[in-house]
Amino acid sequence: AKASGEDVKDVVITCPAYFNNSQRDATRKAGELAGLNVLSIINEPTAAALNYCYNRFNEDQAVLVYDLGGGTFDVTLMKMSEKDGQRSVNVLGTNGDAFLGGCDWDKKLYELFLNKYEEKYGVSPDDMSDDLKQQIRASVEGHKMALSRKDKTKTKIPYEGEIVALEVTLEEFEAATQDLVDQTVGWLNKVLEDAGYTDDMVDVLLLVGGSTKMPMIKTLMQNRFGDKVQFGDPDKAVAKGAAIVAQQLQEQGENEFIR
């Protein structure tokens, strides 16, 4: 922003929904140490929902945000409404896992490639060189992204004068990571249960976070929630939601619409 000629002082910072008060306070202090005036600290799922629903406040909506990032996962249920011109966002429940994210899918894919190497070349992962393992590990994220677009992916790595060629199919990848998907569903079920909600009471299921681009996630949610599933600009939704909050704070002087 400064590079484009803007003088940035006031900021809205987003944080994971599971952050406790001390973590939020530490985040605020970090912003202040950077020389910024921190207007508000808001939950990432709340910001994402605001981005999606800001122009859809004409009726009450129960929004369930499924947020799967690179290293964390959380689910948040909120009620968004407007009455007499006053908009409100009430968080009904949130939960998740601070150590579950796309990096766990990466680890599973890495293990799949190691197993493929053992099957093809007869060398167990314990006996593989560290250099080859590192080359495979470095390629994993790109192959995961490729499996979001096609049914299989191949890696070719030069090693000891030869080319190591390995292939993993989407079906194999999804089978190997099913337990991770099940964990996210468990958290989703808990949030709904704790709030006293059932699937039919949810108006919108919002997919947020880069890892929701994996076909297994979108397919699972569509099979369960049908056309309620919305792919809410996963890479930028949180930042855009924070911008909406910043605009409201500038116009109103205080945060009147998030509780």
Side-chain angles (χ1 to χ4, degrees):
K2 287 186 176 181
S4 65
E6 297 291 337
D7 182 23
V8 180
K9 280 293 182 182
D10 299 331
V11 297
V12 172
I13 304 177
T14 63
C15 69
Y18 56 78
F19 264 27
N20 58 34
N21 288 336
S22 63
Q23 290 171 311
R24 293 170 193 273
D25 186 54
T27 302
R28 179 181 294 276
K29 288 179 179 177
E32 292 170 351
L33 286 170
L36 300 169
N37 177 34
V38 182
L39 301 177
S40 183
I41 304 289
I42 65 172
N43 290 343
E44 292 167 357
T46 303
L50 282 171
N51 175 60
Y52 175 77
C53 296
Y54 189 67
N55 293 319
R56 302 173 176 87
F57 269 94
N58 54 341
E59 60 183 32
D60 290 355
Q61 295 184 91
V63 181
L64 186 62
V65 181
Y66 178 108
D67 186 355
L68 183 61
T72 62
F73 171 74
D74 51 60
V75 180
T76 301
L77 177 66
M78 59 192 76
K79 192 75 171 182
M80 310 190 75
S81 59
E82 181 176 10
K83 184 176 182 181
D84 299 328
Q86 293 296 315
R87 295 173 171 179
S88 66
V89 179
N90 296 307
V91 177
L92 305 178
T94 188
N95 219 320
D97 189 332
F99 302 100
L100 176 66
C103 58
D104 294 289
W105 274 259
D106 291 350
K107 291 175 184 175
K108 294 281 189 177
L109 185 53
Y110 170 67
E111 292 168 0
L112 264 178
F113 276 122
L114 294 187
N115 292 336
K116 290 285 186 177
Y117 185 87
E118 182 175 16
E119 292 172 7
K120 187 170 183 177
Y121 298 98
V123 179
S124 72
D126 291 338
D127 295 327
M128 289 174 60
S129 74
D130 291 339
D131 179 57
L132 179 56
K133 286 183 179 180
Q134 181 56 37
Q135 289 189 68
I136 294 175
R137 190 188 300 275
S139 71
V140 160
E141 187 174 7
H143 288 296
K144 181 184 69 175
M145 293 178 180
L147 287 172
S148 292
R149 306 186 302 271
K150 50 189 181 181
D151 294 334
K152 60 185 177 182
T153 184
K154 296 180 181 180
T155 185
K156 293 183 179 181
I157 298 173
Y159 178 64
E160 294 186 345
E162 298 183 358
I163 298 296
V164 174
L166 304 171
E167 180 180 287
V168 171
T169 67
L170 177 61
E171 184 178 3
E172 291 171 330
F173 178 52
E174 292 186 343
T177 56
Q178 185 60 51
D179 63 316
L180 301 176
V181 177
D182 291 343
Q183 289 180 52
T184 71
V185 172
W187 287 115
L188 185 152
N189 292 340
K190 179 170 176 53
V191 167
L192 288 177
E193 182 180 347
D194 289 348
Y197 269 62
T198 56
D199 290 2
D200 62 303
M201 297 167 70
V202 174
D203 298 306
V204 178
L205 186 286
L206 193 59
L207 294 178
V208 176
S211 295
T212 59
K213 294 177 182 179
M214 293 185 290
M216 67 188 80
I217 302 299
K218 189 172 184 180
T219 298
L220 175 70
M221 292 299 118
Q222 286 178 330
N223 288 342
R224 178 167 174 175
F225 291 95
D227 58 7
K228 296 178 181 179
V229 177
Q230 300 294 324
F231 207 48
D233 195 2
D235 295 322
K236 300 177 182 178
V238 172
K240 289 181 177 180
I244 290 171
V245 174
Q247 179 189 25
Q248 290 294 311
L249 292 175
Q250 285 186 326
E251 292 178 354
Q252 302 174 9
E254 60 180 11
N255 193 345
E256 297 179 346
F257 64 104
I258 299 178
R259 293 194 294 274

